[in-house]
Amino acid sequence: MGSGLFFFVVGPSGSGKDTLIEGAKAALGPSGRYVFARRAITRPADAGGEAHEALSVDQFEAVSAARGFLLQWQAHGLRYGLRADLLDEMAAGRHVVANGSRAMVAELAAHVPHLVVVEITAPAEVLAQRLTGRGREAAENIAARLDRKVPPFPAGVAVIQVANDSTPRAGVERFVAALEGQAARLRLVRMPIETGRRNVAFLARGCTVVAAPDYLGPGRVDLAGERRSIRAEIALVSDSLLAHDAVGLSQETFAALGLPEGAELVLTRTPVPESRAALRRKIRGEALDEPAYVQVVGDIVEGRYPDSEVAGFLVAADRGLTDGEVLALAKVRASFANRIVWGEPMVVDKHSMGGIPGSRITMIVVPIVAAHGLAIPKTSSRAITSAAGTADAMETLARVDLDAAEVRRTVERARGCIAWNGRLSHSALDDVMNAITRPLGLDSTRWSVASILSKKLAAGSTHVVIDLPFGARARVKSAAEAAEMARLFEQVGAGLGLTVEAIPTDGSGPIGRGIGPALEVRDVLWVLEGHPDAPPDLREKALFFASRILAWDPAVGPANARARAEALLASGAARAALERICEAQGRWSEPVRPARLTRTVVAATTGTITNIDGFAVAGIARLAGAPQDKGAGIDLKARSGDHLRAGDPLFVIHASSAADLDAAAAQAATFDGFTFDAGRESAASR
């Protein structure tokens, strides 16, 4: 049998400790699981107050000399003690409840294996009324009691609070519930079940410690033990799979908790979030202010809401956020992030709303800016629905899974980095939000503004340029939407103390030739090396955005920024800067090359190309294996405006396996993404 708990009940005079303890004794004493300690006090037995063991001063000294007290202290001219045999009760698995002094918590913690301090609280006016009703003290003495400052509890001691501000019956009910909640000790078992992002705990349906079916539903529970805790949802299993005194955790939840199997855990219900009223106001369509978002976002991060309620909140946010709400959300999101402080007057960054295949300008902009000398700690995402993200592309050359310290070292050595943002945890909110928004297809541009700028603020940026490509297949659909989004980015950025320039750009088709990590990096290197096959549109867009960043440097200014960017590119300084970045991040011994298996897709008709559907060609590249297979993708051989004859090449598919190559070619035969004049579409391969 495991050790019982020691409940040490503390609280100011007038809080009602004696009343609550007596009520709990009547309710829990008959179970045999609890022992209610009698304090030894150097006070006559008939002196009133709690039922105690009356000892003379000499008797008290004799017990103390014989080491008969577990704990002893002095207060109000009296000596108090708790008998040492209470440890035997705990060893037998019974829980001890004792009235005590706050000042003795640290000493008691050193003597008992499982201490839980129960602090009884009540408002000052209630305490004053109760003390006055006793008739034992003058008003000035009562006032002095209430003004007395109490020291904080020692670190690492479990403390629960019970409010005794209502009727005695209500106070006893709360006190009993608190004791029973802490006494719900379950043995930890690691279950051979994987639950992904969700923290899941399992109880046997016939659990003898708690009524397991009562915990089913949308609510969460807290599981705590040995100074570690985790929040989880409950699922039930048959009695044959789990012992009745155990709680099972999924593989991921067990790893996150970090305690060994067999450890004792206390199970309690997660408190109802205080922010629920604000969350429901948002779901009804009302606007929230910053303090409300602090509460709501904090409770979401803490896992106090089930996914269904978070989803309702996010759907409401997707439907509408005011400008003020976007700024409030950005501030709140940044407050939950691990902020990097660079100690430099200017730290620049570049972000794109994405969705344009092949537009890998970041890998050109960062080296140009770094070669100039400005700090540009660029962190990027991996692909979600596209054929490559910047992190996927950079990973063909070097490590991208850097932590904050490695990002700092890289920027100190090379003035820039191109890292994956997955290890940096710029926002503690992202994992929760993305797990819900992506399956629901929620893609609010206003929510994105708050998210993006909060990350830039957390990354320590001072100046940020935003690329807003718009087009029928882009994330931003129209020039008007892009202009409105640019206004919001710049306004919210100013509210955060950032200098932000957001620029709408043409997103009607792919940029560059390669679509897929290795093929896109090939284009990047061609631009940096001045190769004759370098895609001119990729070069031009990269120079444009690099110039906008360099224009912020007072030593350059807008008038000279373009010439400076071109000079850094033409001289090879930018190419050398990329080499330094790769070395600092951890260069691979061999870069990833385009996959060797190929198939050419050709035009089925003669005519002029009027449109290339970037979403379609990216889909073909993904079927070829990109971005997981970094060598896979497609190499465009034709562009919008080109006049082709039937049989001329449109693009070449690259894949590492014959099955992937066949799948991509089959999709291209159905629709290759190219539209010719007179509405004719091409679909042929060889």
Side-chain angles (χ1 to χ4, degrees), residues 364-365 367-369 371-372 527-528 539-551 556-575:
I364 303 169
V365 171
I368 291 174
V369 173
H372 175 68
V527 171
L528 289 171
R539 180 182 187 275
E540 174 56 33
K541 189 170 184 179
L543 282 169
F544 174 82
F545 277 96
S547 300
R548 304 305 278 248
I549 294 174
L550 296 181
V556 177
N560 301 313
R562 175 71 184 216
R564 176 62 173 159
E566 290 179 343
L568 291 166
L569 185 61
S571 67
R575 180 68 177 90

Side-chain angles (χ1 to χ4, degrees), residues 66-102:
R67 300 182 183 273
F69 287 127
L70 170 65
L71 188 71
Q72 54 181 301
W73 67 96
Q74 286 185 296
H76 314 301
L78 300 172
R79 299 184 70 176
Y80 295 77
L82 291 171
R83 292 280 188 172
D85 58 9
L86 293 173
L87 290 175
D88 297 331
E89 299 287 358
M90 294 180 67
R94 286 182 282 275
H95 309 301
V96 173
V97 181
N99 193 342
S101 167
R102 185 187 186 106

Side-chain angles (χ1 to χ4, degrees), residues 216-536:
L216 283 177
R220 307 287 175 90
V221 299
D222 292 331
L223 293 160
E226 295 298 326
R227 303 187 185 184
R228 299 186 68 90
S229 65
I230 200 162
R231 186 159 287 156
E233 57 187 280
I234 289 291
L236 301 188
V237 297
S238 68
D239 295 348
S240 62
L241 296 178
L242 195 62
H244 287 182
D245 64 346
V247 58
L249 298 186
S250 67
Q251 298 282 338
E252 298 87 347
T253 313
F254 182 89
L257 178 60
L259 290 176
E261 283 198 287
E264 283 190 341
L265 298 183
V266 174
L267 182 151
T268 56
R269 293 187 187 276
T270 302
V272 175
E274 295 182 2
S275 64
R276 177 163 279 155
L279 180 139
R280 288 178 174 173
R281 290 203 310 274
K282 187 60 200 174
I283 291 175
R284 291 196 300 267
E286 299 178 29
L288 302 182
D289 59 13
E290 186 176 338
Y293 276 116
V294 169
Q295 283 192 316
V296 171
V297 172
D299 283 335
I300 289 174
V301 170
E302 288 294 319
R304 296 185 185 276
Y305 286 108
D307 287 352
S308 58
E309 290 187 86
V310 178
F313 167 75
L314 293 174
V315 168
D318 184 64
R319 291 172 179 167
L321 295 170
T322 66
D323 288 3
E325 285 182 290
V326 176
L327 177 57
L329 268 170
K331 289 180 178 179
V332 172
R333 289 180 66 108
S335 72
F336 285 94
N338 300 319
R339 190 165 184 177
I340 301 175
V341 178
W342 292 97
E344 299 202 23
M346 183 179 293
V347 178
V348 300
D349 203 345
K350 173 261 170 193
H351 184 85
S352 174
M353 290 303 290
I356 308 303
S359 186
R360 203 52 56 217
I361 67 168
T362 294
M363 292 185 66
I364 303 169
V365 171
V366 171
I368 291 174
V369 173
H372 175 68
L374 292 177
I376 182 164
K378 176 65 182 141
T379 62
S380 302
S381 62
R382 296 190 186 276
I384 299 171
T385 59
S386 64
T390 297
D392 299 308
M394 182 64 179
E395 201 169 29
T396 68
L397 300 176
R399 276 187 61 219
V400 296
D401 59 334
L402 311 183
D403 60 25
E406 290 170 324
V407 165
R408 183 179 293 279
R409 286 197 298 270
T410 299
V411 175
E412 287 172 352
R413 291 175 57 186
R415 299 304 290 158
C417 72
I418 306 171
W420 174 49
N421 58 25
R423 285 192 66 191
L424 297 172
S425 299
H426 284 332
S427 174
L429 197 57
D430 284 342
D431 286 346
V432 179
M433 298 303 188
N434 292 341
I436 294 172
T437 56
R438 288 172 182 169
L440 291 176
L442 300 178
D443 193 21
S444 167
T445 53
R446 287 182 156 257
W447 182 274
S448 294
V449 169
S451 173
I452 291 164
L453 291 182
S454 70
K455 291 178 183 178
K456 301 307 177 188
L457 186 65
S461 302
T462 62
H463 294 66
V464 184
V465 66
I466 309 285
D467 178 16
L468 295 174
F470 63 89
R473 285 294 207 170
R475 186 174 178 185
V476 182
K477 302 303 180 186
S478 67
E481 183 184 350
E484 167 58 21
M485 199 169 185
R487 178 200 67 79
L488 186 61
F489 261 119
E490 293 177 0
Q491 178 178 311
V492 173
L496 296 173
L498 301 175
T499 298
V500 176
E501 183 179 14
I503 306 167
T505 59
D506 179 13
S508 59
I511 301 291
R513 282 180 45 181
I515 300 174
L519 289 159
E520 293 178 21
V521 170
R522 178 207 61 188
D523 289 355
V524 165
L525 295 178
W526 279 350
V527 171
L528 289 171
E529 295 167 358
H531 194 282
D533 290 333

